[in-house]
Amino acid sequence: MSKKKILLSLDSWYPQVAGPNVVVSNYYKYLTESGNECKIFVPTYGKSTDKKNTIANVEVSHIPSVYIPFGGFRNGVPRWSHELTKEAKNGADIFHAHSPFALCSRFAELGKKYRAPSILTFHTKFKDEFERITKSSTLTEFMMKRIMKAINSVDYVFTVSEGAADTLREYGYEKDITIIRNGTDMQMPSSDEAEKLIKEVNEKYALTDCENVFLFVGRIVSVKNLPFAFDAMHILKERGVNFKFIVVGDGEDLDGYKTLVKELGLADNVLFTGMITDRHFLQAFYLRADVFLFPSSFDTASLCPIEAATFSLPTLLMEGSPTSEIVVDNYTGFTETCSAVKWADKLHSIVNDKDLLREVSQNAKKHVYRSWKNVVEEVEDKYDEILETFKK
C-alpha cells in the first residue's frame, strides 16, 4: 500500500459520545500506524472543553462552530478554518468524512478543487434522529434535504451494513455503495486480569450469587428500545427466572426508565450503572454477563455486539435489524422477532441450555469479533483502489 495523506472529519466530537467518535479515532490510530499522514477535523466545543476531551495519541483539529439548540450539537463552519484550507492546499490524497453535514460538503468541495477523491461513511439513520430530537416534521424535511445534498456531493459512499445501505437508498441515494463493517478496540485480558475484573464487578454490584446476568451498553435514549427489553424481563420474572439485567450508559431517558422499571416490579432485577468511562473496567461487565441484549432496530451497525464478542459474550438482537446481519441465530449469536413474549421465551431457553450457550459464545468470538486494525487494512485497500480509479 502506498503512503497517503488522509483528512478525516466528523461533525460531532467529545463530549458528544457516540459510535462514530470511536470509528474515527481508530481510523486515525491504525492509518497513522501504517505510515500514513492523518488529521481529524471536528467542530470546537470551546477551548476549555476541547482540552478536556482529548484522546491519547489522536490529533484533532477543531474548526469554528456555532451552537445548535437541539441535542447539544455544534454546527461546524469549515470555511472559517484556515488550517483545513491550508492542509487541503498542501496536498491531500483522500478527504474522508464520517457525517453528512458542513464538513462533508466542504470536503467534497476541496476534493474537486484539488483533484482528490472525497468519501462519506454513512453511520446513522439521520431521519429518525432528527424526528426524535426536533419533534418537527418540517425541520426534519429541511435537514434531510441538507444532508442528501452533502451525500450526493461526494465521490464515493461507504456504509457499515446492508441495512444502512438500504436506508440510504430509501433516502434517495442512487449511486454505488461500499460496505465496510465496524470493529472493536477491545481485547481479551489475561486470565488473571479477567478473574480480577469479574471479582471487582461482582463485589461492587452484588452479583456473586446471581445465576443469569444480561447486559446492555449504550445511550439511554428511546431509539435503543429498552422498554421492550424491560417487558421481556418482566415476563421472565413472572416465570420465576433468577436474573440481573445490567444497563450501562446515560441519556435523556434514564430517569424515566428507572421509574418504568419500578412500575414493572423489576427494581431488584435491573441495575442502572450510569456511564462507565473507564474502558478497562467496562470489560468487567462483558466478562461477567451471560447474554448481551440489543433490542434496537435503529442502529445501522452497533459496535457493542462486536465488543461483546471480544469476550465470548453472544448477543440477542432484533431479527431483521441492520446490526443483526453480523450473527447467525443459534450459531454466532441469537435473533428473535419483535415480541417481548418471544424474547422472554428465547432467553429462557438460552439460559436453560448451557451447552448451546457455550458453543454460541465460542463462535461469537471466532466469527463476530473483528479488530479495528483489520477494518482499517480493508479501508486502505479500498483507498488504493479508489485512487487508481480516480487517476484514470
Side-chain angles (χ1 to χ4, degrees), residues 182-196:
N182 288 328
T184 178
D185 59 344
M186 289 284 196
Q187 293 183 346
M188 184 69 181
S190 67
S191 55
D192 287 346
E193 182 61 22
E195 188 177 327
K196 180 182 174 182

Side-chain angles (χ1 to χ4, degrees), residues 143-284:
M143 291 302 298
M144 287 303 299
K145 286 180 179 177
R146 290 283 302 273
I147 72 164
M148 288 311 300
K149 184 178 180 181
I151 293 169
N152 281 304
S153 70
V154 297
D155 299 307
Y156 300 91
V157 168
F158 296 172
T159 62
V160 289
S161 66
E162 292 284 357
D166 290 342
T167 296
L168 196 46
R169 292 185 184 101
E170 287 170 11
Y171 291 170
Y173 187 75
E174 296 179 347
K175 291 182 277 187
D176 291 341
I177 298 171
T178 297
I179 295 168
I180 296 181
R181 299 188 185 277
N182 288 328
T184 178
D185 59 344
M186 289 284 196
Q187 293 183 346
M188 184 69 181
S190 67
S191 55
D192 287 346
E193 182 61 22
E195 188 177 327
K196 180 182 174 182
L197 284 165
I198 292 170
K199 182 179 179 182
E200 187 177 351
V201 78
N202 276 341
E203 291 176 353
K204 186 169 183 177
Y205 295 102
L207 297 171
T208 303
D209 298 322
C210 188
E211 187 179 352
N212 303 301
V213 177
F214 307 129
L215 176 67
F216 170 85
V217 177
R219 291 186 299 151
I220 313 301
V221 293
S222 58
V223 292
K224 299 296 183 178
N225 203 23
L226 277 170
F228 174 89
F230 298 145
D231 287 341
M233 296 299 103
H234 177 65
I235 296 167
L236 276 182
K237 185 168 184 177
E238 287 188 328
R239 294 178 182 178
V241 178
N242 174 33
F243 69 89
K244 285 280 188 183
F245 180 27
I246 305 174
V247 179
V248 177
D250 198 0
E252 61 197 47
D253 292 313
L254 180 59
D255 291 339
Y257 289 168
K258 287 180 177 178
T259 300
L260 174 61
V261 161
K262 289 177 182 176
E263 291 172 353
L264 290 170
L266 294 171
D268 294 332
N269 299 89
V270 179
L271 172 63
F272 294 95
T273 69
M275 185 178 292
I276 304 293
T277 56
D278 183 345
R279 295 280 287 173
H280 181 68
F281 184 57
L282 181 60
Q283 295 177 89

Side-chain angles (χ1 to χ4, degrees), residues 247-351:
V247 179
V248 177
D250 198 0
E252 61 197 47
D253 292 313
L254 180 59
D255 291 339
Y257 289 168
K258 287 180 177 178
T259 300
L260 174 61
V261 161
K262 289 177 182 176
E263 291 172 353
L264 290 170
L266 294 171
D268 294 332
N269 299 89
V270 179
L271 172 63
F272 294 95
T273 69
M275 185 178 292
I276 304 293
T277 56
D278 183 345
R279 295 280 287 173
H280 181 68
F281 184 57
L282 181 60
Q283 295 177 89
F285 295 93
Y286 287 119
L287 287 163
R288 179 62 183 87
D290 298 293
V291 184
F292 190 86
L293 306 185
F294 199 75
S296 169
S297 292
F298 165 78
D299 292 71
T300 54
S302 173
L303 304 179
C304 293
I306 306 172
E307 288 186 356
T310 309
F311 308 95
S312 299
L313 176 63
T315 301
L316 172 58
L317 298 120
M318 197 68 74
E319 186 179 294
S321 65
T323 303
S324 71
E325 293 172 19
I326 61 175
V327 306
V328 176
D329 186 35
N330 289 337
Y331 180 65
T332 56
F334 305 100
T335 61
E336 188 50 85
T337 55
C338 187
S339 160
V341 172
K342 288 188 176 181
W343 267 54
D345 291 342
K346 188 82 169 184
L347 285 169
H348 204 167
S349 68
I350 290 169
V351 299

